[in-house]
Amino acid sequence: MPRPTIQDVARAAGVSKSTVSRVLNGVEDYVDANTRRQVEKAIAELEYRPNALARSLITKRSLAVGLLISDVANAFYHPVIHGVEQIAIEAGYDTFLCNTNYEVERGLHFIRSLMSKNVDGVLIMSSSVSDEWIAELARHNVPTVALDWKPNISEGPLGVIAVDFAAGIQQAVEHLVNLGHCRFVHVAGPLNLPTSLLRYEAFLRALAWHDIPAADVALLEGNLQFEGGQRVLTRLLELSPRPTAVFAANDLTALGLISGARERGLRIPDDLSVVGLDDIALADQSSPPLTTIRLPKLEIGRSAMQMLLTLMHSDGAACPVHEALVKSSFVERQSTAAPRS
Amino acid sequence: MPRPTIQDVARAAGVSKSTVSRVLNGVEDYVDANTRRQVEKAIAELEYRPNALARSLITKRSLAVGLLISDVANAFYHPVIHGVEQIAIEAGYDTFLCNTNYEVERGLHFIRSLMSKNVDGVLIMSSSVSDEWIAELARHNVPTVALDWKPNISEGPLGVIAVDFAAGIQQAVEHLVNLGHCRFVHVAGPLNLPTSLLRYEAFLRALAWHDIPAADVALLEGNLQFEGGQRVLTRLLELSPRPTAVFAANDLTALGLISGARERGLRIPDDLSVVGLDDIALADQSSPPLTTIRLPKLEIGRSAMQMLLTLMHSDGAACPVHEALVKSSFVERQSTAAPRS
DNA sequence: GCCTGCTCTGGGAGCGGTTTCAGAAACCGC
DNA sequence: GCGGTTTCTGAAACCGCTCCCAGAGCAGGC
């Protein structure tokens, strides 16, 4: 048998559906205590649960938000997801998690799908973002919060969680320089992503501060994934002169590099010092435990969702782009050491 | 401005909304080639996208399914999720991923939420399932596929992906016995879960086959998570006589055991042989690489979604519970060795 | 006794789509 | 030229809910 509707409840309680709706939404609205009890009884007996679709069709709010990430398998996202869910559940929102699989096209597909489902807001945590996504959302006035993305758009209910990589990178560089390293390589994320360049530049700036010229810093392109790190190690070994320290755009890449190094018989950190970025849960379980730059992942998720809530509730009021800044910090473990020579 | 509706498109194209609806659904329905072109033009110009809510309110299908898992951070689920998504996207379905966080209550919350959103089906991959969930779904006739769960319910559109643990466990036991082990311990999942007992019993059976009595097999309870493995190691060390080989209910537990062992200065595999179950991606990156029993995770995801599609399409036809069996297999790595004595 | 105001309830329009039904127009064979 | 198909289109009902509006009943003030 099909689910009971509000009409069925009304019939069972001997009232009109308007009245049922009133007790359902339980606002400060006149409804007699007796009637209320009757309706509640009918609801319980029929195990009635309102149809969220019909409801949000008319109210224009779905109590749901979309969360776009690159890939669930990327451990960086796990605390982020938890953070988002903590705040979301607390506020009565559901989250739709979407794996873009690092593909811009697929992300767009999800954004359209989410919009057609009338989500109240969207969180974009995927590393490969496209301006087109944001534009599509802004055009239709969907509150949006993006992680680590400088939007070209200034209109629309848009928030940004900016990451201050500089502080952590600065400390990491200091650590490496103190150990005696002078030939560096950075394994970046896809170079078409603004964030990839930002991290690279922050690295260069920190090195320049220690009088190490950009010419002594090689740049290789990875894909932010484990196997990308494994693959790129081959190219790293072909560099001449051979770098003694590598800074990877994220921990997954760093762990891939370590794995690739082990396969080729290299010893970490003796033959090569490796620094990651993110501080995923695996980082201190790997061998050797990974020296890395920590991002406050849970906080990123929490404050992103918090910001989205603000955006969604202050609706209409054309506000400037919201922005929050989160800090990075350095974590020393055992994947870095003084160079051998 | 708000999203355009079908009415706007109709106006722009100079037709009625019935006609727009017809070209939208593009079925074998009479609509003049010229009118069709005009409507399509209007759709493109307005960037019209149908409201999925309104649509599914009347059609009773949402082209969406729910996917319940215990925790995104559990790597076992990553290939499963990928598998589900592969098939789902192909068939035009969206998936709503829900983290039950190993909590039965939270799972029920999600199931209700999914049902109120009119999902067409639900996949239950969460390890902590409750019969109440399945009952709730069955009562409302929602097609459901569960992983590794013997349902008490025989009515309703229900499918089950059963895992044949026996084969893999058998091989693992053979491996351990051949190495010379004779004192075993099993670290199970929560003992209120049927699947925990099934794995334990399969382990006992395999050992009995080699004339090892159940009395020589200790049982400890974990929680299927990493830190559960770490914690339980303390209790493992208190066992007397000290076991030489441990079989964990899943890889996460096994890795937690290894981590706990390292902290206490134990050497794996010399002081203790460890066998996991799942073969998650981490398993061959850990140190030492984990000997484990592989589950075909991608296939589990794919065939679960495939089965769900079948269930959803053969709607109404009261069929018996569908069932598919997937096999497990043994993977030897370096966390097992002959006992020292 | 009448008006005002407050409390409570039901009717009904409408959210944005789909689908049934009926009717208009064109075509066809005789 | 006329009945009968076939092709095309629009009107209207409906999905399950919310919410506006009007009205009923009752208390209180004059």
Side-chain angles (χ1 to χ4, degrees):
Chain A
M1 85 251 78
R3 297 226 314 268
T5 76
I6 199 172
Q7 195 53 272
D8 298 325
V9 177
R11 234 188 319 266
V15 296
S16 77
K17 58 198 184 105
S18 312
T19 302
V20 178
S21 173
R22 267 186 279 264
V23 344
L24 235 44
N25 299 310
V27 280
E28 261 324 313
D29 208 351
Y30 304 123
V31 37
D32 186 75
N34 274 327
T35 341
R36 161 161 280 138
R37 227 170 300 127
Q38 294 220 343
V39 172
E40 275 162 358
K41 189 162 144 265
I43 288 179
E45 273 170 9
L46 294 176
E47 288 190 33
Y48 167 73
R49 268 180 257 298
N51 182 326
L53 265 46
R55 188 174 256 184
S56 52
L57 183 56
I58 188 146
T59 56
K60 309 285 190 194
R61 30 205 322 269
S62 55
L63 289 178
V65 299
L67 170 55
L68 271 77
I69 63 173
S70 299
D71 184 6
V72 275
N74 184 338
F76 165 74
Y77 290 113
H78 302 157
V80 175
I81 294 171
H82 286 154
V84 169
E85 286 193 337
Q86 278 176 16
I87 305 292
I89 290 209
E90 210 170 273
Y93 282 80
D94 282 337
T95 43
F96 293 159
L97 188 62
C98 306
N99 278 310
T100 66
N101 213 17
Y102 300 94
E103 297 162 24
V104 170
E105 205 42 55
R106 191 153 155 184
L108 195 56
H109 161 82
F110 280 127
I111 292 208
R112 300 228 164 105
S113 165
L114 288 169
M115 285 177 45
S116 86
K117 290 194 165 63
N118 281 21
V119 291
D120 296 331
V122 172
L123 293 165
I124 298 186
M125 304 275 158
S126 170
S127 55
S128 46
V129 191
S130 154
D131 271 328
E132 202 185 340
W133 297 6
I134 314 268
E136 180 104 7
L137 289 162
R139 204 176 321 138
H140 295 285
N141 231 46
V142 180
T144 304
V145 172
L147 171 63
D148 188 27
W149 188 257
K150 252 207 270 304
N152 296 331
I153 298 138
S154 56
E155 31 136 18
L158 183 60
V160 174
I161 306 285
V163 182
D164 174 23
F165 294 110
I169 292 181
Q170 194 96 16
Q171 292 171 63
V173 163
E174 200 155 311
H175 167 76
L176 291 173
V177 168
N178 286 345
L179 286 172
H181 289 276
C182 51
R183 288 191 310 280
F184 300 88
V185 55
H186 175 53
V187 179
L191 291 175
N192 57 332
L193 298 182
T195 185
S196 297
L197 295 175
L198 284 178
R199 293 179 203 189
Y200 177 49
E201 283 158 12
F203 186 47
L204 287 184
R205 256 198 312 282
L207 287 169
W209 185 260
H210 289 89
D211 296 320
I212 295 179
D216 289 2
V217 187
L219 175 65
L220 293 172
E221 182 173 10
N223 61 0
L224 299 173
Q225 299 179 250
F226 186 86
E227 50 77 41
Q230 286 183 303
R231 255 189 303 124
V232 95
L233 189 91
T234 323
R235 306 226 325 270
L236 188 151
L237 296 181
E238 293 163 357
L239 293 175
S240 161
R242 174 89 74 83
T244 59
V246 52
F247 167 47
N250 70 350
D251 281 358
L252 238 37
T253 304
L255 294 175
L257 285 166
I258 292 181
S259 154
R262 182 161 37 207
E263 269 176 28
R264 276 175 193 70
L266 281 185
R267 293 187 7 198
I268 309 288
D270 305 305
D271 298 322
L272 183 69
S273 282
V274 180
V275 175
L277 191 156
D278 278 349
D279 191 28
I280 59 180
L282 258 79
D284 76 336
Q285 301 298 333
S286 75
S287 78
L290 186 68
T291 296
T292 190
I293 294 163
R294 172 177 299 159
L295 260 35
K297 296 165 287 299
L298 191 73
E299 190 198 327
I300 287 175
R302 291 177 57 99
S303 50
M305 186 63 209
Q306 199 68 65
M307 186 183 286
L308 190 59
L309 283 175
T310 315
L311 245 39
M312 293 187 303
H313 292 156
S314 73
D315 86 318
C319 43
V321 173
H322 280 65
E323 189 163 334
L325 191 71
V326 298
K327 298 235 185 78
S328 60
S329 57
F330 180 65
V331 181
E332 182 179 345
R333 295 208 185 89
Q334 282 114 63
S335 66
T336 46
R340 276 208 298 188
S341 61
Chain B
M1 83 250 81
R3 298 227 313 269
T5 75
I6 199 172
Q7 195 54 271
D8 299 324
V9 176
R11 232 186 321 265
V15 297
S16 77
K17 58 195 188 118
S18 315
T19 304
V20 178
S21 172
R22 268 187 278 262
V23 346
L24 236 44
N25 299 310
V27 281
E28 261 325 312
D29 207 352
Y30 304 123
V31 38
D32 186 74
N34 274 328
T35 347
R36 161 162 279 138
R37 227 170 299 129
Q38 293 220 344
V39 172
E40 276 162 356
K41 190 162 142 264
I43 289 179
E45 273 171 9
L46 294 176
E47 288 190 31
Y48 167 73
R49 269 181 255 297
N51 182 325
L53 266 46
R55 189 175 255 182
S56 53
L57 183 57
I58 186 141
T59 57
K60 310 285 191 194
R61 31 205 320 268
S62 56
L63 289 177
V65 300
L67 170 55
L68 271 77
I69 63 173
S70 299
D71 183 7
V72 275
N74 185 336
F76 165 73
Y77 290 113
H78 302 158
V80 175
I81 295 171
H82 287 154
V84 170
E85 287 193 336
Q86 278 176 16
I87 305 293
I89 290 210
E90 210 171 275
Y93 281 81
D94 282 337
T95 43
F96 293 159
L97 189 63
C98 306
N99 278 311
T100 66
N101 213 15
Y102 300 94
E103 297 162 23
V104 169
E105 205 43 53
R106 190 153 157 184
L108 194 56
H109 160 83
F110 281 126
I111 292 207
R112 300 227 165 107
S113 165
L114 288 169
M115 284 176 47
S116 86
K117 290 194 166 59
N118 280 21
V119 292
D120 297 331
V122 172
L123 293 165
I124 298 185
M125 304 276 159
S126 170
S127 55
S128 46
V129 192
S130 153
D131 271 328
E132 202 185 340
W133 298 4
I134 313 268
E136 179 104 7
L137 289 162
R139 203 175 324 134
H140 295 284
N141 231 46
V142 180
T144 303
V145 171
L147 172 62
D148 187 27
W149 188 256
K150 250 208 271 303
N152 296 332
I153 298 136
S154 55
E155 32 138 15
L158 184 61
V160 174
I161 306 286
V163 181
D164 174 24
F165 295 109
I169 292 180
Q170 193 96 17
Q171 292 170 65
V173 163
E174 200 155 312
H175 167 76
L176 291 172
V177 168
N178 285 345
L179 286 173
H181 289 276
C182 51
R183 290 190 310 281
F184 299 88
V185 56
H186 175 53
V187 179
L191 290 175
N192 57 334
L193 298 181
T195 183
S196 297
L197 295 174
L198 285 178
R199 294 180 203 187
Y200 176 50
E201 283 158 11
F203 186 47
L204 287 183
R205 255 199 313 281
L207 287 168
W209 185 261
H210 288 90
D211 295 320
I212 296 179
D216 289 0
V217 186
L219 175 63
L220 292 173
E221 182 174 10
N223 61 0
L224 299 174
Q225 299 178 251
F226 186 88
E227 50 77 39
Q230 286 182 303
R231 254 189 304 125
V232 95
L233 189 91
T234 323
R235 308 225 326 270
L236 188 152
L237 296 181
E238 293 162 357
L239 293 174
S240 162
R242 174 90 73 82
T244 58
V246 52
F247 166 48
N250 69 351
D251 282 358
L252 238 37
T253 304
L255 294 175
L257 285 166
I258 291 181
S259 155
R262 182 161 35 204
E263 270 175 29
R264 276 173 193 70
L266 281 185
R267 294 193 1 202
I268 309 288
D270 305 305
D271 297 322
L272 183 69
S273 282
V274 180
V275 175
L277 191 155
D278 278 350
D279 191 28
I280 60 181
L282 259 79
D284 75 338
Q285 301 297 333
S286 75
S287 78
L290 186 68
T291 296
T292 190
I293 294 161
R294 171 177 301 159
L295 260 35
K297 295 165 288 297
L298 191 73
E299 189 197 326
I300 287 175
R302 290 176 58 98
S303 52
M305 185 63 208
Q306 199 70 64
M307 188 183 281
L308 189 59
L309 282 175
T310 315
L311 244 39
M312 294 188 302
H313 293 156
S314 74
D315 86 319
C319 42
V321 173
H322 280 65
E323 191 164 333
L325 192 71
V326 297
K327 297 235 186 79
S328 59
S329 57
F330 179 65
V331 181
E332 181 181 346
R333 294 208 185 89
Q334 281 113 64
S335 65
T336 46
R340 276 210 297 190
S341 62

